[in-house]
Amino acid sequence: MDKYKVILFDLDGTLSDPKVGITKSVQYALQKMNIVEPDIDKLECFIGPPLQVSFAEYYDFDEKNTQKAIELYRERFKEKGMFENKLYLNIALLLKSLKEQQFTLVVATSKPTVFAEQILKYFNIDQYFELIVGSNLDGTRASKTEIIQYILDKYQEHTLSDFIMIGDRKHDIIGANNTGINSVGVTYGYGSFEELSHSNPTHIVKSVSQLKDILMGCQVKKDLELKGV
């Protein structure tokens, strides 16, 4: 089993379940643009990818309307949407354990960095992360490939084999593959097994417990090697 040193976590659908806040904020933006979508379940597709991608893909917005929709989305998201959110069960315990085992933890999210920082602080898990990297408010550095590469450039003392990316959507896995690092797809979030498997992750897990086994298993092997076992 590979031994990792720097663990990159996606935020939405991996650390926390943001469904209510994201879908209601999308619903709000659409309503302001005279599009009525009463079923927030149909807006789950907005969880994970950059907003500029989703508004264009699912509602065929041009660049001008996409930017308008994002601005409207943020009106509600900044006020209440980011807090309509909950950590997945045992995530805080996993982060605490990894930190105690001297792993370097980093958040890699397409969400704007400023919002990610506030959400992590709200859940009191910001203490576990050495670095939080998201997109910029102007829409730049939005792709997961760009975000991961930015992180790799920050940790040039490490080799690519030291890193692993954990996420629930194909964008996380594709970003990891594009930058040459390993990945774990988690199916407890918003990406299906089919979506993740087609993106060729290194591992796929269905629970936080299984994720812990993969990540902590690396540390157990390292400890045994150090002891000469």
Side-chain angles (χ1 to χ4, degrees):
M1 183 177 285
D2 297 302
K3 300 188 295 293
Y4 305 110
K5 296 178 182 177
V6 185
I7 303 175
L8 282 56
F9 282 93
D10 174 48
L11 176 53
D12 295 337
T14 302
L15 294 176
S16 71
D17 182 351
K19 177 180 175 177
V20 174
I22 288 178
T23 56
K24 285 192 172 182
S25 297
V26 172
Q27 184 184 52
Y28 170 87
L30 292 173
Q31 185 175 9
K32 290 286 188 178
M33 299 180 73
N34 299 314
I35 298 174
V36 177
E37 179 48 77
D39 186 359
I40 63 171
D41 289 344
K42 292 182 179 179
L43 301 175
E44 286 185 3
C45 54
F46 279 80
I47 302 173
L51 288 173
Q52 53 263 52
V53 172
S54 297
F55 278 118
E57 180 176 348
Y58 298 114
Y59 287 91
D60 199 28
F61 286 178
D62 60 19
E63 185 176 345
K64 181 179 179 180
N65 282 328
T66 293
Q67 187 56 42
K68 180 180 178 181
I70 291 173
E71 291 171 0
L72 291 167
Y73 169 94
R74 287 175 179 167
E75 280 183 8
R76 186 186 185 281
F77 190 79
K78 287 189 291 187
E79 180 183 349
K80 61 176 70 173
M82 74 171 75
F83 306 116
E84 295 171 321
N85 198 347
K86 58 185 179 181
L87 286 182
Y88 286 112
L89 187 64
N90 294 325
I91 278 293
L93 289 174
L94 171 63
L95 297 175
K96 183 174 184 292
S97 297
L98 293 172
K99 189 70 173 179
E100 289 173 347
Q101 292 291 335
Q102 306 300 312
F103 287 97
T104 297
L105 307 183
V106 178
V107 169
T109 176
S110 292
K111 185 182 296 300
T113 304
V114 62
F115 295 153
E117 290 172 344
Q118 292 178 65
I119 291 167
L120 295 170
K121 187 173 182 180
Y122 173 75
F123 285 125
N124 195 32
I125 58 173
D126 56 317
Q127 59 186 300
Y128 301 120
F129 294 98
E130 184 170 290
L131 185 63
I132 300 167
V133 179
S135 61
N136 297 316
L137 285 171
D138 64 3
T140 58
R141 200 176 67 202
S143 80
K144 198 54 67 88
T145 298
E146 291 177 290
I147 290 162
I148 294 174
Q149 188 58 58
Y150 179 89
I151 294 167
L152 298 182
D153 291 343
K154 288 285 188 179
Y155 291 95
Q156 293 187 9
E157 70 274 19
H158 289 284
T159 62
L160 291 178
S161 61
D162 290 338
F163 296 87
I164 188 165
M165 175 71 210
I166 300 162
D168 70 312
R169 300 300 305 273
K170 65 181 180 181
H171 308 81
D172 302 302
I173 310 307
I174 292 169
N177 291 340
N178 286 344
T179 53
I181 67 173
N182 284 0
S183 60
V184 180
V186 300
T187 61
Y188 60 77
Y190 286 90
S192 66
F193 178 85
E194 289 73 23
E195 174 185 331
L196 291 166
S197 61
H198 288 162
S199 302
N200 297 314
T202 312
H203 310 277
I204 295 181
V205 301
K206 62 181 180 181
S207 67
V208 175
S209 175
Q210 288 186 344
L211 178 59
K212 181 178 180 181
D213 287 343
I214 287 176
L215 299 176
M216 298 300 286
C218 299
Q219 186 63 33
V220 168
K221 181 177 179 181
K222 181 178 180 181
D223 291 343
L224 291 175
E225 290 175 346
L226 288 173
K227 294 176 181 177
V229 177

